[in-house]
């Protein structure tokens, strides 16, 4: 950030210090482009917010190629498949065998955010936490402005060349696009996820997605010592009605495999919360000099493990597009939205498909239950169907290997 006669100036003003905003700031810095990130929450809050856990191989490569994978390479857990459980049976899908060697990596979003913040600050990057009253303006000019109030109550205005709206689903940037100029496609699902983080080694080597007549359950993990588990619950459930033992009992019931000897290990609950499920796509992802990336433009239900990966894929496309735009070539900026939306819609469909195949729809009839079970049986018995799941789960389209 530069100061000229008291006025502040940067090339790219970035709203939001989630994975999209922080990674974009880093990718721009690698290209010699100056940015300022403003974030309404504290650094501690951003680093502790429990969210995603699964990275596609393309996301891992992006982090590696941009010098951010030191801890990820040491601590990330490579997974070559998942389990699908239904009808009292647990089936393994072997992604390596189905996709010619592709894998995913379990490495928590909290750790990616910690790594990104540490790297930006070590490189002299500017990230302002605890800001309020964020406003973006003059978006159709070539000098858009970013206004905010800092933690001490002082008001600031930064003149930018471009603004990146990386402020998540509840941010202000998308709302700054005039209503008639964007198209929104949205679906709310009639269930939520109750998620816990537990101080207990995972009871599984790879994630278990379980279809059960009481509702969906997912066994994920954060490390070889910490488990992450989810339960489908009604959207109006209150977390206070779910004491820890009730959660463990319900998880035990939904993952139960009679006669197998398998048991769910229980431990102290470190964090718990309820998240609604929604699909949402706002297009185009550009308005003048405002570019949206990540959850600011699109969200998916977490069943496909796609949200974080989409956020990273967006900024992978946006960084070179902004580099070219700042040199006077707008072609990549013009194609940014379309380039991202192809992947976004594929992930939106996959997430919807996984969600509707695995959850119990309130009020659904026996016909729907049989259709779900038939689809699940098909996925675990047909190589073609299993390959389709594996290809989407590991990331479609695959991120091309780096050249040179
Ligand atoms: P974020 O992470 O929401 O970051 C946006 C940031 O913007 C800030 N902000 C503002 N700052 C300044 N001024 C304002 N007016 C602002 N308004 C908002 C916010 O405080 C925040 O820090 O969006 P980003 O960067 O686009 O990243 C998206 C991901 O966080 C999200 O898609 C994933 O977490 C989704 N997701 C998953 N994705 C995966 O790829 N794999 C998974 O396994 C996975 N599991 C999940 C998930 C999301 C979940 N929840 C809680 C929604 C599991 C769950 C339970
Ligand atoms: C997680 O570990 O938080 C997680 C993993 C897979 C999903 C969703 C969430 O599909």
């Amino acid at each position: 950030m530069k100061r000229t006669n008291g006025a502040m100036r940067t090339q790219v003003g970035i709203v939001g210090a989630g994975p999209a905003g922080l990674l974009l700031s880093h990718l721009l810095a690698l290209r010699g482009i100056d940015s300022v990130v403003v974030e309404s929450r504290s650094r501690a809050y951003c680093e502790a917010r429990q969210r995603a856990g699964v990275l596609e191989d393309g996301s891992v490569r992006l982090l590696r190629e941009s010098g951010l994978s030191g801890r990820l390479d040491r601590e990330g857990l490579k997974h070559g498949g998942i389990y699908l459980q239904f009808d009292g049976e647990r089936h393994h899908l072997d992604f390596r065998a189905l996709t010619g060697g592709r894998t995913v990596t379990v490495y928590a979003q909290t750790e990616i955010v910690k790594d990104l913040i540490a790297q930006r600050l070590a490189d002299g990057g500017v990230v302002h936490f605890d800001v309020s009253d964020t406003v973006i303006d003059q978006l159709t000019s070539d000098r858009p402005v970013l206004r905010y109030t800092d933690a001490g109550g002082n008001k600031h205005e930064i003149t930018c060349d471009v603004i990146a709206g990386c402020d998540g689903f509840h941010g202000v940037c998308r709302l700054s696009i005039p209503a008639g100029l964007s198209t929104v496609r949205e679906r709310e699902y009639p269930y939520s996820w109750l998620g816990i983080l537990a101080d207990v080694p995972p009871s599984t080597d790879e994630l278990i997605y379980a279809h059960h007549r009481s509702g969906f359950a997912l066994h994920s993990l954060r490390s070889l010592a910490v488990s992450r588990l989810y339960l489908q619950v009604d959207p109006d459930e209150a977390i206070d009605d779910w004491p820890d033992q009730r959660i463990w009992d319900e998880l035990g019931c939904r993952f139960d495999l009679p006669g197998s000897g398998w048991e769910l290990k229980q431990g102290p609950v470190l964090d718990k919360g309820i998240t609604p499920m929604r699909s949402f796509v706002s297009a185009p992802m550009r308005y003048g000099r405002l570019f949206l990336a990540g959850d600011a433009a699109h969200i998916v239900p977490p069943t496909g493990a796609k949200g974080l990966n989409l956020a990273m894929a967006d900024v992978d496309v946006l960084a070179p597009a902004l580099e070219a735009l700042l040199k006077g070539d707008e072609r990549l900026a013009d194609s940014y939205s379309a380039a991202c939306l192809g992947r976004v819609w594929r992930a939106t469909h996959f997430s919807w498909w996984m969600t509707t195949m695995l959850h119990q729809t309130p009020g659904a009839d026996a016909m729907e239950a049989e259709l779900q079970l038939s689809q699940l049986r098909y996925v675990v018995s047909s190589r073609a169907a299993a390959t389709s799941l594996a290809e989407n789960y590991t990331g479609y389209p695959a991120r091309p290997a780096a050249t040179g």
Side-chain angles (χ1 to χ4, degrees), residues 51-54 193 207 209 218 220-222 228 230 302-305 393:
R51 285 198 168 171
V54 175
W193 275 17
L207 275 63
Y209 289 79
L218 170 61
S220 182
L221 55 144
R222 288 291 172 265
R228 176 82 170 144
Y230 298 96
T303 329
Y393 197 95

Side-chain angles (χ1 to χ4, degrees), residues 168-380:
F169 182 65
H170 299 288
V172 294
C173 290
R174 186 179 68 250
L175 304 176
S176 306
I177 302 178
L181 295 184
S182 54
T183 303
V184 168
R185 299 284 179 250
E186 185 169 19
R187 175 154 305 178
E188 277 185 36
Y189 298 86
Y191 26 76
S192 294
W193 275 17
L194 187 163
I196 61 165
L197 191 68
D199 191 10
V200 61
S203 308
T204 181
D205 57 340
E206 293 186 335
L207 275 63
I208 309 170
Y209 289 79
H211 173 278
H212 189 276
R213 62 182 180 285
S214 305
F216 169 73
L218 170 61
H219 191 330
S220 182
L221 55 144
R222 288 291 172 265
S223 67
L224 295 177
V226 175
S227 299
R228 176 82 170 144
L229 299 114
Y230 298 96
L231 280 175
Q232 174 187 349
V233 295
D234 287 338
D236 52 5
E237 286 286 340
I239 196 71
D240 291 345
D241 292 334
W242 285 87
D244 296 355
Q245 198 52 50
R246 180 178 176 204
I247 298 173
W248 285 117
D249 290 347
E250 192 59 34
L251 287 165
C253 162
R254 296 191 195 179
F255 288 118
D256 190 27
L257 275 184
S260 69
W262 183 88
E263 265 190 33
L264 180 66
K265 293 192 269 276
Q266 303 186 6
V269 173
L270 305 171
D271 185 276
K272 61 179 165 180
I274 294 185
T275 313
M277 308 269 280
R278 182 187 274 123
S279 292
F280 177 96
V281 181
S282 174
M285 291 166 60
R286 176 188 185 182
Y287 169 63
R289 287 288 178 111
L290 169 67
F291 294 81
L292 300 178
D295 278 16
H298 43 74
I299 54 174
V300 286
T303 329
K306 286 286 161 249
L308 168 62
N309 292 292
L310 285 179
M312 293 173 58
D314 285 352
V315 299
D316 192 19
V317 178
L318 186 54
L322 296 184
E323 180 182 25
L325 182 147
L326 293 170
K327 290 180 183 153
D329 179 351
E330 296 223 8
R331 282 174 298 177
L332 288 178
D334 289 343
S335 59
Y336 165 69
S337 182
C340 293
L341 286 168
R343 172 182 293 277
V344 167
W345 274 111
R346 177 85 303 277
T348 300
H349 178 271
F350 176 65
S351 305
W352 164 84
W353 179 75
M354 287 282 282
T355 300
T356 52
M357 176 171 71
L358 287 162
H359 289 70
Q360 293 295 333
T361 310
D365 58 9
M367 176 82 184
E368 178 168 322
E370 292 297 345
L371 291 173
Q372 285 181 321
L373 288 171
S374 172
Q375 181 66 46
L376 284 161
R377 283 186 205 108
Y378 181 48
V379 169
V380 300

Side-chain angles (χ1 to χ4, degrees), residues 82-140:
I82 58 168
Y83 296 96
L84 280 181
Q85 180 170 331
F86 57 94
D87 219 6
E89 289 178 6
R90 189 174 292 168
H91 304 260
H92 188 246
L93 292 188
D94 183 341
F95 294 164
R96 285 193 185 90
L98 291 163
T99 62
R102 298 185 60 194
T103 56
V104 292
T105 298
V106 172
Y107 187 67
Q109 182 167 328
T110 45
E111 306 313 302
I112 294 180
V113 167
K114 282 183 209 161
D115 294 347
L116 281 164
I117 292 174
Q119 189 71 48
R120 284 314 293 129
L121 299 182
D123 291 344
V126 182
V127 187
H128 296 300
F129 291 99
D130 298 298
V131 310
S132 52
D133 307 324
T134 312
V135 173
I136 56 173
D137 203 359
Q138 315 284 330
L139 300 174
T140 51

